[in-house]
Amino acid sequence: QLLTPHGLLAISIAYVCTAEVWSGSAVDWALVGLHKAFVHYGYHAVGTSVMTFDANNPRIVIVIRFNSSGSCGSARPSVLHCLQGALNPDLSSIEGVLEYHHVWDMTRKKSPSRELGRFRRLAPFISELAGLAKARAALVHEPGFFEVLPALRRRLLKVSGCVFDDPLVQAEVSARGYDVVAIDGREREVCKRALKDFDILDAL
């Protein structure tokens, strides 16, 4: 084991909010990675708290209270499903400065980030193009799958979401009842080679 049997781990991460596929996905992705590390080194989380703030760029601070797996018998809570916080529950957000989540809920209903508004404007046009082309099926890659995928599903017989190397997004989209096609790194390179003469379509 790398750490003591019991402890408190705090990680500060700078991130680009325009890369989020839903509000808070940066935290979700970080927790997925931390979960893998905890399992690998024999630990489990007993509490998770999160703070987000802006200091020249957006930052998140994830605080995890942990124990070694051997100290809890057969019950080994996952960092992804902590129902307790790691910090004082009396702490609160500071409006316009810091947002505090005493318990981070990975199972919450996801909502689009502000940066995905452009897809809301594009979705009707893409749906109309599919109709003009008399398309019957589509494979869609869309950040978050909030706008284009639902719009095409209302029009076409068969629509699947295409997810690249992201089990978190795959699980989320599947939970919403959509068909999902997962493509790993090797298959992604095959797709790139197949589309090398159609960069403009890939960009669209």
Side-chain angles (χ1 to χ4, degrees):
Q1 292 186 329
L2 295 179
L3 305 173
T4 61
H6 313 279
L8 192 69
L9 176 68
I11 299 176
S12 176
I13 305 170
Y15 71 102
V16 180
C17 59
T18 54
E20 287 198 302
V21 295
W22 55 69
S23 295
S25 67
V27 176
D28 295 336
W29 279 321
L31 284 174
V32 168
L34 286 167
H35 170 67
K36 292 179 180 178
F38 270 51
V39 170
H40 180 76
Y41 288 106
Y43 292 94
H44 71 278
V46 295
T48 302
S49 298
V50 172
M51 291 171 281
T52 64
F53 60 95
D54 199 309
N56 297 323
N57 54 276
R59 299 193 72 89
I60 55 178
V61 175
I62 299 174
V63 183
I64 300 176
R65 190 174 297 279
F66 65 88
N67 291 332
S68 66
S69 295
S71 66
C72 61
S74 59
R76 298 181 181 181
S78 165
V79 69
L80 303 180
H81 301 98
C82 284
L83 300 179
Q84 302 179 46
L87 299 175
N88 190 331
D90 295 329
L91 295 175
S92 60
S93 300
I94 304 173
E95 186 175 356
V97 178
L98 180 144
E99 190 173 329
Y100 174 65
H101 303 267
H102 176 57
V103 177
W104 186 261
D105 183 10
M106 291 281 288
T107 64
R108 71 194 183 283
K109 182 178 180 180
K110 309 302 190 297
S111 59
S113 61
R114 288 178 296 178
E115 287 70 24
L116 298 184
R118 60 188 183 276
F119 290 98
R120 188 175 303 115
R121 295 188 291 271
L122 281 172
F125 293 97
I126 295 173
S127 178
E128 186 66 22
L129 283 172
L132 291 173
K134 295 182 171 54
R136 301 181 63 189
L139 182 63
V140 180
H141 178 63
E142 172 195 5
F145 297 95
F146 287 102
E147 305 294 343
V148 177
L149 183 61
L152 288 177
R153 194 184 193 189
R154 291 189 291 268
R155 180 181 286 269
L156 306 183
L157 293 176
K158 173 73 173 177
V159 179
S160 298
C162 180
V163 177
F164 293 114
D165 297 319
D166 197 329
L168 177 66
V169 175
Q170 181 181 352
E172 167 63 23
V173 179
S174 295
R176 294 186 214 157
Y178 295 117
D179 182 55
V180 180
V181 176
I183 297 178
D184 63 21
R186 183 184 60 183
E187 292 169 326
R188 188 173 186 175
E189 289 304 313
V190 172
C191 290
K192 283 182 179 179
R193 288 196 297 270
L195 292 170
K196 63 181 180 180
D197 296 326
F198 299 98
D199 290 342
I200 185 65
L201 295 180
D202 190 47
L204 174 62

